[in-house]
Each structure stands twice: as C-alpha cells, then as structure tokens.
Amino acid sequence: GITKALEETARDLGVSIRFRTRARELIMEDGRIAGIRAQDQDGNPVEYPGKAILIADGGFANNEEMMKKYTRAGSHTLEMAVGQVGKEGDGIRMAWEVGAAKEGAGLIQLGPPRVVKKKLDKHVTAILRQPFLWVNANGDRFLDESESSFPHIGNAMSRQPGQVLFNLFDHASRKHMEEEGIKAGLGMLSDKGAKIPDVLAAMQTIIEEDEAWVADSVEELAGKMGVDGRRLRATVDEYNASCDAGRDGLFAKDPEYLEPVRTGPFYAVKGHPTHVGTLGGIRINHKTEVIREDSETGLDLIPGLYAAGTVAGGMYGDTYDASHTIGLTSAFAVISGRIAGMSALEYLGK
C-alpha cells in the first residue's frame, strides 16, 4: 500500500522510474557524487547524472557469496529467505567502493525454525514450534523452549552445530495435541488449543524426507537423528527430572510447558532457521548521510550520498526482535527514506 501510494505520487510529479535497469557503479567527481552507471534491460550501459543519490535497495539477502562472507547464515538459512527477491547487495557494494564506512553487515533478521519443505504446512509447523524438548545436533538443550521471540530462537540456532534443532516429544504429548490441542499458539498460523487430528499423518511427508522420525526408544530415536544416544539419553533424563520437580534449573522454562519425554513411541522433528533479510552494511548519520570509512570522528561524509532502509547499519543490536517490535524495518524504511529526501534537498539548496 505504501509503495503504490508513493509510486503514484512520484509519477504525478514527473519522476522517471527505470525498471529492469540495474545500477552498477557510482560516479564521483572531486570527491562528490556526480551520477550513476547502470545497465539497461538489454545489457547496454547507461549513465544518469545526479548530484544526490539515495541507496535503498534492501540489502543482500539473495547474494549467497555476501551472506556467507558477512553473516552466520548456514546453507538451509540461505535457502529459506522469506519474502526476499533480487536483493543482491549492489547498493552496499557501490557505496563501499567509493569509500563508505561499513556498519552492521553481519546482522540478518533471523526467523523461527522451519522444516525443509517447499510448501509451509501449518500442522507440521505447529508441531515443530511446540515448546517440548529442543536439542541441538550434539543432543544438548541450548535455550528455553518456551521462548516466544522467534528472532531470539533464530539467533540461538545460528550458534549451534549445523544450525539446527530437534524437537522431541513422546506419545502422551502427541495425544494431547490430537485430543486437547496445542499448548502454544502461533499467531495467525495456529491458535492455542487448535487440535491436530492426526500428528503422525501430518508428519508423514517430512518423515519420508528424513526430517522427522519415530522410534520405540530414545536411543533408537537418537540413531535415526544422527545424535549420540548416551548424550541424548542423559539430556532426556535431566529434562524429565525438571518436569517432575516442576522447575527447570537450566533455563528457567515456564513450568506450564514442562512436559516429560517418557512414554513411547518417541518423536523428533528437525528445524532449520529462516531469515527475512539483512539489516545493515552502510554507516550513516542522523540525516542518513553516508559516512566515510576513513573518518575518525564520523563527521567526514561522502557528499551527495545517502542510504535508507535495511542497507543502513546501526539501527539494531545483534537481534532484530520482530516478535515485540514487528514492522520496525518497514517503519524505518519509510522514515529514513523521508529524512534522506529532505537531506538531499537541503544539500542541493532546494
């Protein structure tokens, strides 16, 4: 809706929009922005003169080389970029090439765990994200499973071996999901208390894809998961003791979600981290002016160059907490873009 309104206003003001024209290089004259070199839809080089340029191309989520170099994204994280198309990092690269300072290139909007599946299945997703017993590839717990902030979950997963989690539960928990419903709701995807008619049937496709398993014992389940059986057995025993005591001494998990893994058959679902884009790259000031890499004070700028939205670094810490500040990147894109326009007008003396 925002894009449509802005585009209509731009056209009314006589703005020329060049589709399928890829920016390639910033033109500098006497240390100032003088224009941009691009490539049109037929591959021909074109140049556009301009004393002020705003970079706002949304980051580098689709550039595998940059994602591997600057972020902790694993192979499946790269595959499961949500809502990211054509974001190759051209704007950030061009800014760096003319001496822009780097800021926040390593931060991505990590999302909740998902199974590797082309089509998102709400039952499978609900099963995977229930706060049962989550372990890493070593068979160890690594966070409070009742943590509801999916960026925090994604952040924790990105630091685990193989960047995966396994969600373990037993037959009693399966029957609870079927007869009484899930304990943890997933917002618009599944309500708390929603019933999954047949958990095993819902899992069948990912069982066939070797992303979920069923076994008669924890040790057998560990073998199918590729996890050390003795280590997983120790983790399960420790967790069950916490459930019996009604207190999680390791991560202080909400007692409401302390369900033991004790009654066979036993189930496990494998989860991989997702992401919804990158969150930095270019250092800016409060007027969205791009700061030079060699600036010791932060006051030395590249005259005429601005950066807005998710190519601008420094807005966030090490996690984008979308669970509690959802829409923050969209809001920052709109506001920083407006500030950039006002700053450019001031620079041009208009």
Side-chain angles (χ1 to χ4, degrees):
I2 292 171
T3 303
K4 182 179 179 181
L6 291 175
E7 183 178 344
E8 289 177 353
T9 301
R11 291 190 184 280
D12 290 343
L13 292 171
V15 173
S16 176
I17 301 174
R18 303 293 185 184
F19 293 102
R20 298 177 67 186
T21 302
R22 187 169 182 173
R24 290 296 190 183
E25 183 183 4
L26 294 171
I27 302 171
M28 302 289 290
E29 289 182 4
D30 300 323
R32 295 175 176 270
I33 290 294
I36 194 164
R37 295 187 179 95
Q39 195 173 40
D40 69 15
Q41 61 184 16
D42 298 317
N44 300 315
V46 290
E47 288 190 7
Y48 299 101
K51 294 181 179 180
I53 287 179
L54 165 61
I55 296 173
D57 60 340
F60 55 90
N62 303 114
N63 186 318
E64 186 170 346
E65 182 180 348
M66 290 183 73
M67 287 291 288
K68 286 182 177 178
K69 184 175 182 179
Y70 296 110
T71 77
R72 290 197 310 272
S75 58
H76 284 312
T77 318
L78 293 171
E79 293 171 16
M80 294 192 285
V82 180
Q84 306 296 304
V85 178
K87 295 181 180 177
E88 296 291 340
D90 290 341
I92 293 173
R93 174 188 54 78
M94 290 188 296
W96 287 349
E97 287 175 349
V98 297
K102 298 178 175 67
E103 178 83 30
L107 181 60
I108 58 177
Q109 300 181 61
L110 287 162
R114 267 184 60 183
V115 295
V116 178
K117 207 166 185 261
K118 290 183 178 179
K119 187 177 180 182
L120 188 67
D121 182 282
K122 70 174 185 178
H123 289 324
V124 169
T125 304
I127 295 167
L128 172 63
R129 297 186 194 167
Q130 289 306 295
F132 297 131
L133 170 59
W134 296 2
V135 300
N136 62 17
N138 293 332
D140 299 323
R141 291 179 71 199
F142 60 96
L143 84 165
D144 167 13
E145 296 91 346
S146 63
E147 169 62 63
S148 61
S149 173
F150 62 75
H152 293 169
I153 298 169
N155 193 322
M157 287 178 66
S158 73
R159 300 170 187 271
Q160 303 309 308
Q163 299 193 341
V164 297
L165 67 76
F166 298 91
N167 193 358
L168 276 63
F169 59 97
D170 69 358
H171 194 68
S173 293
R174 171 191 168 175
K175 297 304 291 182
H176 190 283
M177 287 189 284
E178 292 174 341
E179 297 172 3
E180 300 181 52
I182 58 176
K183 282 193 173 183
L186 303 179
M188 293 180 290
L189 192 63
S190 296
D191 292 329
K192 182 176 182 177
K195 296 178 182 179
I196 300 176
D198 190 328
V199 168
L200 188 58
M203 292 173 56
Q204 195 56 46
T205 301
I206 55 173
I207 288 174
E208 293 170 0
E209 294 175 354
D210 202 32
E211 290 286 311
W213 306 270
V214 184
D216 292 327
S217 69
V218 170
E219 289 76 12
E220 181 189 356
L221 189 65
K224 293 183 176 182
M225 294 161 53
V227 174
D228 182 87
R230 288 179 297 180
R231 198 175 184 95
L232 184 62
R233 177 79 262 177
T235 297
V236 169
D237 289 344
E238 181 183 26
Y239 181 72
N240 286 345
S242 295
C243 294
D244 293 341
R247 178 181 177 275
D248 176 17
L250 192 57
F251 292 114
K253 179 178 180 177
D254 186 336
E256 179 185 354
Y257 302 114
L258 286 173
E259 295 185 41
V261 181
R262 184 174 285 134
T263 308
F266 301 93
Y267 307 82
V269 183
K270 190 176 186 179
H272 305 271
T274 56
H275 78 101
V276 285
T278 59
L279 289 172
I282 304 171
R283 188 180 179 193
I284 62 171
N285 64 13
H286 65 290
K287 297 175 69 175
T288 73
E289 297 168 315
V290 174
I291 298 171
R292 293 187 60 83
E293 184 177 22
D294 55 9
S295 177
E296 295 182 0
T297 62
L299 299 177
D300 303 295
L301 311 172
I302 299 177
L305 187 59
Y306 306 86
T310 55
V311 298
M315 179 67 181
Y316 313 96
D318 72 341
T319 302
Y320 172 71
D321 190 3
S323 297
H324 301 109
T325 55
I326 192 164
L328 187 59
T329 47
S330 299
F332 180 64
V334 173
I335 294 166
S336 60
R338 179 176 175 82
I339 292 171
M342 296 169 66
S343 297
L345 285 175
E346 181 182 354
Y347 172 72
L348 296 170
K350 296 183 179 181

PDB file of all heavy atoms in Angstrom, residues 213-233:
ATOM      1  N   TRP A 213      11.270 -38.251  12.670  1.00  0.00           N
ATOM      2  CA  TRP A 213      11.480 -39.667  12.943  1.00  0.00           C
ATOM      3  C   TRP A 213      10.567 -40.138  14.075  1.00  0.00           C
ATOM      4  O   TRP A 213      10.149 -39.351  14.932  1.00  0.00           O
ATOM      5  CB  TRP A 213      12.943 -39.917  13.346  1.00  0.00           C
ATOM      6  CG  TRP A 213      13.915 -39.390  12.337  1.00  0.00           C
ATOM      7  CD1 TRP A 213      14.433 -40.037  11.263  1.00  0.00           C
ATOM      8  CD2 TRP A 213      14.469 -38.072  12.317  1.00  0.00           C
ATOM      9  NE1 TRP A 213      15.275 -39.216  10.558  1.00  0.00           N
ATOM     10  CE2 TRP A 213      15.316 -37.990  11.182  1.00  0.00           C
ATOM     11  CE3 TRP A 213      14.322 -36.936  13.128  1.00  0.00           C
ATOM     12  CZ2 TRP A 213      16.016 -36.840  10.850  1.00  0.00           C
ATOM     13  CZ3 TRP A 213      15.020 -35.782  12.793  1.00  0.00           C
ATOM     14  CH2 TRP A 213      15.867 -35.746  11.665  1.00  0.00           C
ATOM     15  N   VAL A 214      10.301 -41.442  14.083  1.00  0.00           N
ATOM     16  CA  VAL A 214       9.536 -42.089  15.141  1.00  0.00           C
ATOM     17  C   VAL A 214      10.326 -43.322  15.581  1.00  0.00           C
ATOM     18  O   VAL A 214      10.887 -44.043  14.744  1.00  0.00           O
ATOM     19  CB  VAL A 214       8.135 -42.527  14.665  1.00  0.00           C
ATOM     20  CG1 VAL A 214       7.335 -43.101  15.829  1.00  0.00           C
ATOM     21  CG2 VAL A 214       7.394 -41.376  14.024  1.00  0.00           C
ATOM     22  N   ALA A 215      10.375 -43.557  16.908  1.00  0.00           N
ATOM     23  CA  ALA A 215      11.122 -44.714  17.411  1.00  0.00           C
ATOM     24  C   ALA A 215      10.506 -45.194  18.713  1.00  0.00           C
ATOM     25  O   ALA A 215       9.775 -44.458  19.393  1.00  0.00           O
ATOM     26  CB  ALA A 215      12.590 -44.343  17.619  1.00  0.00           C
ATOM     27  N   ASP A 216      10.819 -46.436  19.064  1.00  0.00           N
ATOM     28  CA  ASP A 216      10.273 -47.025  20.285  1.00  0.00           C
ATOM     29  C   ASP A 216      11.085 -46.675  21.528  1.00  0.00           C
ATOM     30  O   ASP A 216      10.633 -46.881  22.648  1.00  0.00           O
ATOM     31  CB  ASP A 216      10.195 -48.545  20.136  1.00  0.00           C
ATOM     32  CG  ASP A 216       9.151 -48.972  19.112  1.00  0.00           C
ATOM     33  OD1 ASP A 216       8.127 -48.269  18.987  1.00  0.00           O
ATOM     34  OD2 ASP A 216       9.379 -49.983  18.416  1.00  0.00           O
ATOM     35  N   SER A 217      12.303 -46.159  21.332  1.00  0.00           N
ATOM     36  CA  SER A 217      13.132 -45.774  22.471  1.00  0.00           C
ATOM     37  C   SER A 217      13.889 -44.505  22.133  1.00  0.00           C
ATOM     38  O   SER A 217      14.056 -44.162  20.954  1.00  0.00           O
ATOM     39  CB  SER A 217      14.121 -46.884  22.829  1.00  0.00           C
ATOM     40  OG  SER A 217      15.115 -47.005  21.811  1.00  0.00           O
ATOM     41  N   VAL A 218      14.366 -43.829  23.166  1.00  0.00           N
ATOM     42  CA  VAL A 218      15.147 -42.605  22.957  1.00  0.00           C
ATOM     43  C   VAL A 218      16.440 -42.936  22.226  1.00  0.00           C
ATOM     44  O   VAL A 218      16.878 -42.196  21.333  1.00  0.00           O
ATOM     45  CB  VAL A 218      15.458 -41.931  24.319  1.00  0.00           C
ATOM     46  CG1 VAL A 218      16.476 -40.805  24.155  1.00  0.00           C
ATOM     47  CG2 VAL A 218      14.170 -41.393  24.944  1.00  0.00           C
ATOM     48  N   GLU A 219      17.063 -44.064  22.570  1.00  0.00           N
ATOM     49  CA  GLU A 219      18.317 -44.452  21.926  1.00  0.00           C
ATOM     50  C   GLU A 219      18.114 -44.740  20.441  1.00  0.00           C
ATOM     51  O   GLU A 219      18.941 -44.352  19.603  1.00  0.00           O
ATOM     52  CB  GLU A 219      18.896 -45.687  22.620  1.00  0.00           C
ATOM     53  CG  GLU A 219      19.456 -45.424  24.010  1.00  0.00           C
ATOM     54  CD  GLU A 219      18.366 -45.249  25.083  1.00  0.00           C
ATOM     55  OE1 GLU A 219      17.178 -45.563  24.795  1.00  0.00           O
ATOM     56  OE2 GLU A 219      18.709 -44.826  26.190  1.00  0.00           O
ATOM     57  N   GLU A 220      17.018 -45.402  20.110  1.00  0.00           N
ATOM     58  CA  GLU A 220      16.720 -45.676  18.701  1.00  0.00           C
ATOM     59  C   GLU A 220      16.454 -44.367  17.960  1.00  0.00           C
ATOM     60  O   GLU A 220      16.901 -44.179  16.819  1.00  0.00           O
ATOM     61  CB  GLU A 220      15.509 -46.607  18.586  1.00  0.00           C
ATOM     62  CG  GLU A 220      15.157 -46.959  17.140  1.00  0.00           C
ATOM     63  CD  GLU A 220      13.837 -47.702  17.015  1.00  0.00           C
ATOM     64  OE1 GLU A 220      13.224 -48.019  18.071  1.00  0.00           O
ATOM     65  OE2 GLU A 220      13.404 -47.950  15.873  1.00  0.00           O
ATOM     66  N   LEU A 221      15.738 -43.457  18.617  1.00  0.00           N
ATOM     67  CA  LEU A 221      15.447 -42.158  18.018  1.00  0.00           C
ATOM     68  C   LEU A 221      16.747 -41.388  17.750  1.00  0.00           C
ATOM     69  O   LEU A 221      16.920 -40.784  16.696  1.00  0.00           O
ATOM     70  CB  LEU A 221      14.538 -41.344  18.946  1.00  0.00           C
ATOM     71  CG  LEU A 221      13.969 -40.040  18.380  1.00  0.00           C
ATOM     72  CD1 LEU A 221      13.022 -40.314  17.216  1.00  0.00           C
ATOM     73  CD2 LEU A 221      13.239 -39.264  19.476  1.00  0.00           C
ATOM     74  N   ALA A 222      17.666 -41.438  18.712  1.00  0.00           N
ATOM     75  CA  ALA A 222      18.949 -40.754  18.554  1.00  0.00           C
ATOM     76  C   ALA A 222      19.693 -41.274  17.329  1.00  0.00           C
ATOM     77  O   ALA A 222      20.289 -40.494  16.568  1.00  0.00           O
ATOM     78  CB  ALA A 222      19.798 -40.936  19.800  1.00  0.00           C
ATOM     79  N   GLY A 223      19.667 -42.591  17.126  1.00  0.00           N
ATOM     80  CA  GLY A 223      20.333 -43.176  15.970  1.00  0.00           C
ATOM     81  C   GLY A 223      19.765 -42.654  14.659  1.00  0.00           C
ATOM     82  O   GLY A 223      20.511 -42.369  13.717  1.00  0.00           O
ATOM     83  N   LYS A 224      18.454 -42.536  14.595  1.00  0.00           N
ATOM     84  CA  LYS A 224      17.817 -42.022  13.377  1.00  0.00           C
ATOM     85  C   LYS A 224      18.133 -40.546  13.164  1.00  0.00           C
ATOM     86  O   LYS A 224      18.259 -40.082  12.026  1.00  0.00           O
ATOM     87  CB  LYS A 224      16.307 -42.232  13.455  1.00  0.00           C
ATOM     88  CG  LYS A 224      15.884 -43.690  13.420  1.00  0.00           C
ATOM     89  CD  LYS A 224      14.370 -43.837  13.434  1.00  0.00           C
ATOM     90  CE  LYS A 224      13.957 -45.295  13.310  1.00  0.00           C
ATOM     91  NZ  LYS A 224      12.484 -45.478  13.269  1.00  0.00           N
ATOM     92  N   MET A 225      18.256 -39.796  14.256  1.00  0.00           N
ATOM     93  CA  MET A 225      18.563 -38.367  14.180  1.00  0.00           C
ATOM     94  C   MET A 225      20.031 -38.103  13.861  1.00  0.00           C
ATOM     95  O   MET A 225      20.388 -36.996  13.436  1.00  0.00           O
ATOM     96  CB  MET A 225      18.227 -37.686  15.517  1.00  0.00           C
ATOM     97  CG  MET A 225      16.763 -37.655  15.868  1.00  0.00           C
ATOM     98  SD  MET A 225      16.502 -37.369  17.652  1.00  0.00           S
ATOM     99  CE  MET A 225      17.462 -35.882  17.943  1.00  0.00           C
ATOM    100  N   GLY A 226      20.887 -39.097  14.105  1.00  0.00           N
ATOM    101  CA  GLY A 226      22.315 -38.902  13.934  1.00  0.00           C
ATOM    102  C   GLY A 226      22.960 -38.240  15.130  1.00  0.00           C
ATOM    103  O   GLY A 226      23.978 -37.556  15.020  1.00  0.00           O
ATOM    104  N   VAL A 227      22.359 -38.452  16.313  1.00  0.00           N
ATOM    105  CA  VAL A 227      22.835 -37.850  17.556  1.00  0.00           C
ATOM    106  C   VAL A 227      23.352 -38.953  18.480  1.00  0.00           C
ATOM    107  O   VAL A 227      22.837 -40.079  18.466  1.00  0.00           O
ATOM    108  CB  VAL A 227      21.678 -37.068  18.241  1.00  0.00           C
ATOM    109  CG1 VAL A 227      22.101 -36.549  19.602  1.00  0.00           C
ATOM    110  CG2 VAL A 227      21.220 -35.911  17.350  1.00  0.00           C
ATOM    111  N   ASP A 228      24.364 -38.645  19.291  1.00  0.00           N
ATOM    112  CA  ASP A 228      24.905 -39.612  20.235  1.00  0.00           C
ATOM    113  C   ASP A 228      23.820 -40.070  21.208  1.00  0.00           C
ATOM    114  O   ASP A 228      23.207 -39.259  21.909  1.00  0.00           O
ATOM    115  CB  ASP A 228      26.063 -38.971  21.011  1.00  0.00           C
ATOM    116  CG  ASP A 228      26.693 -39.950  21.987  1.00  0.00           C
ATOM    117  OD1 ASP A 228      27.592 -40.691  21.578  1.00  0.00           O
ATOM    118  OD2 ASP A 228      26.266 -39.964  23.160  1.00  0.00           O
ATOM    119  N   GLY A 229      23.566 -41.369  21.257  1.00  0.00           N
ATOM    120  CA  GLY A 229      22.474 -41.917  22.054  1.00  0.00           C
ATOM    121  C   GLY A 229      22.623 -41.705  23.545  1.00  0.00           C
ATOM    122  O   GLY A 229      21.664 -41.365  24.248  1.00  0.00           O
ATOM    123  N   ARG A 230      23.835 -41.905  24.080  1.00  0.00           N
ATOM    124  CA  ARG A 230      24.059 -41.737  25.522  1.00  0.00           C
ATOM    125  C   ARG A 230      23.895 -40.279  25.941  1.00  0.00           C
ATOM    126  O   ARG A 230      23.329 -39.987  27.002  1.00  0.00           O
ATOM    127  CB  ARG A 230      25.446 -42.250  25.899  1.00  0.00           C
ATOM    128  CG  ARG A 230      25.581 -43.769  25.873  1.00  0.00           C
ATOM    129  CD  ARG A 230      26.963 -44.228  26.226  1.00  0.00           C
ATOM    130  NE  ARG A 230      27.948 -43.768  25.250  1.00  0.00           N
ATOM    131  CZ  ARG A 230      29.241 -44.031  25.331  1.00  0.00           C
ATOM    132  NH1 ARG A 230      29.713 -44.737  26.363  1.00  0.00           N
ATOM    133  NH2 ARG A 230      30.085 -43.594  24.413  1.00  0.00           N
ATOM    134  N   ARG A 231      24.365 -39.381  25.086  1.00  0.00           N
ATOM    135  CA  ARG A 231      24.255 -37.959  25.402  1.00  0.00           C
ATOM    136  C   ARG A 231      22.786 -37.517  25.387  1.00  0.00           C
ATOM    137  O   ARG A 231      22.335 -36.780  26.262  1.00  0.00           O
ATOM    138  CB  ARG A 231      25.074 -37.144  24.409  1.00  0.00           C
ATOM    139  CG  ARG A 231      25.383 -35.724  24.866  1.00  0.00           C
ATOM    140  CD  ARG A 231      26.295 -35.028  23.868  1.00  0.00           C
ATOM    141  NE  ARG A 231      26.679 -33.709  24.334  1.00  0.00           N
ATOM    142  CZ  ARG A 231      27.796 -33.445  24.993  1.00  0.00           C
ATOM    143  NH1 ARG A 231      28.631 -34.439  25.287  1.00  0.00           N
ATOM    144  NH2 ARG A 231      28.088 -32.213  25.374  1.00  0.00           N
ATOM    145  N   LEU A 232      22.037 -37.981  24.395  1.00  0.00           N
ATOM    146  CA  LEU A 232      20.621 -37.623  24.317  1.00  0.00           C
ATOM    147  C   LEU A 232      19.860 -38.242  25.481  1.00  0.00           C
ATOM    148  O   LEU A 232      18.975 -37.598  26.058  1.00  0.00           O
ATOM    149  CB  LEU A 232      20.024 -38.083  22.993  1.00  0.00           C
ATOM    150  CG  LEU A 232      18.566 -37.672  22.764  1.00  0.00           C
ATOM    151  CD1 LEU A 232      18.419 -36.159  22.735  1.00  0.00           C
ATOM    152  CD2 LEU A 232      18.016 -38.279  21.463  1.00  0.00           C
ATOM    153  N   ARG A 233      20.196 -39.473  25.838  1.00  0.00           N
ATOM    154  CA  ARG A 233      19.543 -40.123  26.973  1.00  0.00           C
ATOM    155  C   ARG A 233      19.755 -39.321  28.253  1.00  0.00           C
ATOM    156  O   ARG A 233      18.810 -39.115  29.039  1.00  0.00           O
ATOM    157  CB  ARG A 233      20.132 -41.518  27.148  1.00  0.00           C
ATOM    158  CG  ARG A 233      19.612 -42.317  28.336  1.00  0.00           C
ATOM    159  CD  ARG A 233      18.257 -42.918  28.033  1.00  0.00           C
ATOM    160  NE  ARG A 233      17.157 -42.138  28.572  1.00  0.00           N
ATOM    161  CZ  ARG A 233      15.884 -42.436  28.377  1.00  0.00           C
ATOM    162  NH1 ARG A 233      15.547 -43.487  27.656  1.00  0.00           N
ATOM    163  NH2 ARG A 233      14.931 -41.686  28.905  1.00  0.00           N
TER     164      ARG A 233
END
